[in-house]
Amino acid sequence: MYPNGCKVTSVSTNLDADIPVGRRPRNRRGEGSRLRQDILDAAGEILEETGSPDAVTLRAIARRVGIAAPSIYAHFPDPEAVLVQLLIDGFVRLTATVEEAMDPLSDPVERLLAGCRAYLRQAASRPQLYRILFDHADDTPEAGTAGALSLAQGLRAFEVLVGAISDCARAGRSVSTDPFADATAVWVVLHGLAILPVSNPGFPWPPLDQLLTTTVTRIARIDASTSVNQE
Amino acid sequence: MYPNGCKVTSVSTNLDADIPVGRRPRNRRGEGSRLRQDILDAAGEILEETGSPDAVTLRAIARRVGIAAPSIYAHFPDPEAVLVQLLIDGFVRLTATVEEAMDPLSDPVERLLAGCRAYLRQAASRPQLYRILFDHADDTPEAGTAGALSLAQGLRAFEVLVGAISDCARAGRSVSTDPFADATAVWVVLHGLAILPVSNPGFPWPPLDQLLTTTVTRIARIDASTSVNQE
DNA sequence: TGTACATCAGTGAACGCGCGTTCACTGATGTAC
DNA sequence: TGTACATCAGTGAACGCGCGTTCACTGATGTAC
């Protein structure tokens, strides 16, 4: 929140309800864009704490960052734009994490499973953001900007998944005859595993990593004898 | 909206912005509880149209039903209670639909698949309600009341699913050794299939019913030769 | 090296809006006599 | 059969709140001379 590490020495008189604790030290000249990242961080925190995009208001962000609400207009045209940027960043991070996890591996089965695990790890790191990434219908206000990009990003990541299953089949490790349909099923499982344990913590979940491995292995029709992490 | 079928003859002067179109004819004595259902119906419509529980406000409901906002207090203590009732009803309907679809069938594989199809059909009939049923984290305000009930209802429906897979195994139609874990995986798939096609209509989905059948068959380890709807 | 000044980064007061909630009320419906 | 009256089903005005957005402003930072 205070990236330059300054302590706020003078205690705020706190007359304005919008600025409850201390005040953020102003940025040096040319460092105004730091506030932009602080705004995004604060918005992300609010989103994870409340789980509701509607709670990400200009004034809530301003309170958290320690600035006056109108200061946000210097960096974003309106609160919707903050949310859109949050979604875009989330999508980019998700696909980047999956690709980085798969890239260094050569064994096709391990590549597939590593990508799936990375997907769930990234989703779990910001569960509410992940949920909103996929749950909003496409006709939602933010779909115009973020929706188009998310589809493009998602399709790119999806091709990696299809490729991984194709590689398994080519290597004789899978008997899949329709890698695209099987990749779709894998994605469906990933989404369910990313959402349900978060929203239903009271359910007696079996070990999730084993559930993932077993299920993906069966869906992608990977020969049990050739895989390491078998049930 | 006008359950007794009366037409509103006098056009409202529309001075109050909360009552834009006509006015609802008042109920006869003893029929006050009709308004309760009208309120729930209106709230459900708002939820499906906006996709946001925050949009289900007292005043939005009142506008849609054609009453003054305070009239709702005669039937619900606050807007949260309307939403909670909506979620409870949704959960009851979901589990009832699944059980009704499975009940008349004797073949264990067909029972399992029919239950899964009924689950998706019911979810698709009110996609936003379904989403909110499962997506809200348990620490959300409405979790106190609806969360507990939803867990109980959900576990009951889940036992039906576990039983169906066990039946398949007992009948020699499945080689599943862990029906509980397999039922969990099937639920994960059902949730993904209920959510993703709605939120990502732009994705090139393969035929969903075939995707469901294939995936559930593989997860529950049902022998391909004994099942009818095989790929 | 000192000083006037432009600019950058952000402030504070104000507005109108929709919201939840309260309160006293109204007028049609049914009932007791 | 007629009439006074209790009750039911809902109204309308008002309040305080948090919100998005606007506007004129301020004061520290750096720069030109």
Side-chain angles (χ1 to χ4, degrees):
Chain A
M1 205 66 76
Y2 300 106
N4 35 15
C6 297
K7 285 284 178 186
V8 180
T9 50
S10 66
V11 173
S12 163
T13 46
N14 196 14
L15 292 176
D16 187 334
D18 271 353
I19 305 175
V21 273
R23 191 150 298 172
R24 183 177 177 285
R26 118 173 6 201
N27 282 313
R28 318 289 295 255
R29 272 191 155 190
E31 298 177 346
S33 63
R34 280 202 196 184
L35 180 53
R36 187 187 149 88
Q37 192 55 50
D38 289 358
I39 290 168
L40 286 171
D41 291 347
E45 290 173 22
I46 294 169
L47 197 62
E48 289 305 321
E49 286 173 20
T50 65
S52 165
D54 292 353
V56 183
T57 66
L58 268 191
R59 293 182 118 108
I61 295 170
R63 273 193 296 274
R64 194 171 277 255
V65 178
I67 55 172
S71 303
I72 295 174
Y73 284 102
H75 301 277
F76 298 93
D78 54 57
E80 189 70 34
V82 181
L83 205 57
V84 167
Q85 190 60 53
L86 224 47
L87 294 179
I88 291 174
D89 291 353
F91 234 113
V92 170
R93 255 199 305 271
L94 180 63
T95 56
T97 303
V98 170
E99 293 184 351
E100 281 167 21
M102 295 176 74
D103 268 355
L105 298 175
S106 54
D107 181 271
V109 172
E110 285 308 313
R111 266 174 61 84
L112 175 61
L113 291 176
C116 292
R117 290 196 196 99
Y119 186 101
L120 291 184
R121 201 183 333 115
Q122 187 62 27
S125 75
R126 294 166 178 254
Q128 299 302 325
L129 178 63
Y130 174 82
R131 183 170 66 76
I132 292 156
L133 230 46
F134 285 106
D135 278 5
H136 266 292
D138 267 12
D139 55 338
T140 210
E142 58 258 36
T145 335
L149 185 129
S150 75
L151 190 64
Q153 279 275 330
L155 280 179
R156 194 164 69 92
F158 196 78
E159 279 164 20
V160 177
L161 204 58
V162 175
I165 295 182
S166 298
D167 289 349
C168 291
R170 260 195 294 279
R173 307 285 293 279
S174 156
V175 292
S176 169
T177 56
D178 189 347
F180 184 85
D182 293 347
T184 306
V186 168
W187 180 37
V188 166
V189 168
L190 288 177
H191 187 73
L193 278 175
I195 293 283
L196 286 180
V198 173
S199 62
N200 291 59
F203 183 84
W205 293 96
L208 292 178
D209 191 65
Q210 190 185 321
L211 190 68
L212 171 72
T213 307
T214 305
T215 307
V216 169
T217 301
R218 286 183 193 161
I219 288 177
R221 309 185 76 185
I222 291 169
D223 185 355
S225 63
T226 65
S227 180
V228 188
N229 296 292
Q230 203 53 18
E231 49 165 346
Chain B
M1 202 69 74
Y2 300 103
N4 34 16
C6 299
K7 286 282 178 188
V8 180
T9 50
S10 66
V11 173
S12 162
T13 48
N14 194 13
L15 291 176
D16 187 335
D18 272 353
I19 305 175
V21 272
R23 192 150 298 172
R24 183 178 178 283
R26 119 176 2 203
N27 283 313
R28 318 289 296 255
R29 272 193 155 186
E31 298 178 346
S33 62
R34 280 201 196 184
L35 179 54
R36 186 186 149 89
Q37 192 55 51
D38 289 358
I39 290 168
L40 287 172
D41 291 346
E45 290 172 22
I46 295 169
L47 197 62
E48 288 305 322
E49 286 173 18
T50 66
S52 165
D54 292 353
V56 183
T57 66
L58 269 191
R59 294 183 117 109
I61 295 170
R63 272 192 298 272
R64 195 170 276 255
V65 178
I67 54 173
S71 305
I72 295 174
Y73 284 103
H75 302 276
F76 297 94
D78 55 56
E80 188 71 33
V82 181
L83 206 58
V84 167
Q85 190 60 52
L86 223 47
L87 294 179
I88 291 174
D89 291 352
F91 234 113
V92 170
R93 255 198 306 270
L94 179 63
T95 57
T97 302
V98 170
E99 292 183 353
E100 281 166 21
M102 295 176 75
D103 268 354
L105 298 174
S106 55
D107 180 272
V109 172
E110 284 308 312
R111 266 176 59 84
L112 175 61
L113 291 176
C116 291
R117 289 196 197 101
Y119 186 100
L120 290 184
R121 199 181 336 114
Q122 186 62 27
S125 74
R126 294 166 177 255
Q128 298 303 324
L129 178 62
Y130 173 83
R131 184 170 65 76
I132 292 155
L133 231 46
F134 285 107
D135 278 5
H136 265 292
D138 267 12
D139 56 337
T140 211
E142 59 257 37
T145 335
L149 185 128
S150 75
L151 190 65
Q153 279 274 333
L155 280 179
R156 192 164 70 93
F158 197 78
E159 280 163 20
V160 177
L161 205 58
V162 176
I165 294 181
S166 299
D167 290 349
C168 291
R170 259 196 295 278
R173 308 285 291 281
S174 156
V175 292
S176 170
T177 56
D178 189 346
F180 184 85
D182 293 346
T184 306
V186 167
W187 181 36
V188 166
V189 169
L190 288 177
H191 186 73
L193 278 175
I195 294 284
L196 285 181
V198 173
S199 60
N200 291 61
F203 184 83
W205 293 97
L208 291 180
D209 191 66
Q210 190 185 321
L211 190 66
L212 170 73
T213 306
T214 304
T215 307
V216 170
T217 301
R218 285 183 193 162
I219 288 177
R221 309 184 75 184
I222 291 168
D223 186 354
S225 63
T226 66
S227 180
V228 187
N229 296 293
Q230 202 53 20
E231 50 163 344

